[in-house]
């Protein structure tokens, strides 16, 4: 949560008061699953409203919250939650952004498959691991920040070549 949600959100929002509830405001305690779902809905609506102006940190945090909310939901509700999130951001064009020293941010991609060809049921905003350190591949878990991943080209990389 710290690496995959709070760190990218802090980077996206910049310095400030955090936007928390006003002093003295009443808050209703929620279960972790309810809190994650509320946070995912909030982040998804904000991400959809900002569209192409949404900063990468917001996309990364939204992806983590969408995944968390769907994982914490009862199995019978996951498909409907993915569909609800997809509906909120349906107007966004399908795209994949490469972040500086971070994951691929995939929005509204039509399908995601494993290397064995199995289709994954995934939320509409994804952060896909690019550093190889995630414990939940293919999704990013924020480990790239902890390990200081650099997206620069490795001078010792195997050069591209045409495959026949
Ligand atoms: S890019 Fe984030 S964990 Fe790999």
């Amino acid at each position: 949560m710290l690496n995959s949600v709070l760190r990218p959100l802090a980077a996206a929002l910049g310095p400030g008061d955090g936007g928390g509830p006003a002093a003295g405001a009443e808050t209703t305690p929620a279960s972790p699953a309810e809190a994650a779902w509320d946070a995912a809905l909030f982040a998804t609506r904000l991400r959809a409203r900002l569209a192409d102006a949404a900063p990468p940190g917001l996309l990364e945090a939204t992806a983590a919250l969408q995944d968390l909310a769907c994982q914490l939901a009862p199995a019978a509700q996951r498909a409907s939650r993915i569909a609800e999130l997809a509906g909120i951001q349906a107007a966004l064009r399908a795209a994949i952004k490469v972040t500086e020293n971070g994951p691929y941010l995939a929005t509204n991609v039509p399908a995601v498959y494993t290397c064995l060809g199995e289709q994954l049921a995934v939320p509409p905003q994804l952060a896909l691991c690019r550093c190889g350190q995630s414990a939940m591949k293919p999704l990013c878990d924020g480990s790239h920040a902890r390990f200081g991943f650099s997206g620069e080209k490795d001078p010792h990389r195997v050069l591209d070549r045409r495959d026949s």
Side-chain angles (χ1 to χ4, degrees):
M1 196 69 166
L2 181 66
N3 269 322
S4 59
V5 177
L6 299 179
R7 178 195 46 74
L9 263 186
L13 297 175
D17 67 1
E26 295 277 331
T27 56
T28 305
S31 71
E34 290 170 335
W37 179 238
D38 288 347
L41 287 172
F42 178 83
T44 303
R45 289 181 183 122
L46 180 60
R47 189 267 174 272
R49 192 168 63 228
L50 294 176
D52 288 343
L58 177 60
L59 274 62
E60 187 180 341
T62 301
L65 285 167
Q66 287 186 359
D67 178 61
L68 182 65
C70 292
Q71 293 299 326
L72 291 178
Q77 289 182 9
R78 285 190 194 131
S80 64
R81 289 202 164 181
I82 289 172
E84 186 171 344
L85 294 167
I88 293 170
Q89 62 176 70
L92 300 174
R93 63 187 171 85
I96 298 176
K97 281 186 182 177
V98 182
T99 59
E100 186 180 353
N101 304 327
Y104 297 109
L105 299 171
T107 301
N108 291 349
V109 292
V112 175
Y113 295 90
T114 67
C115 60
L116 300 175
E118 176 191 3
Q119 186 169 359
L120 299 175
V122 291
Q125 182 63 62
L126 297 170
L128 299 171
C129 180
R130 190 162 67 108
C131 73
Q133 299 294 329
S134 175
M136 47 186 263
K137 293 184 194 84
L139 303 181
C140 166
D141 68 358
S143 293
H144 60 273
R146 212 162 4 109
F147 289 98
F149 171 67
S150 168
E152 293 297 314
K153 284 189 175 180
D154 182 342
H156 307 294
R157 71 189 182 280
V158 176
L159 295 178
D160 292 338
R161 65 185 167 85
R162 186 176 209 145
D163 209 356
S164 58

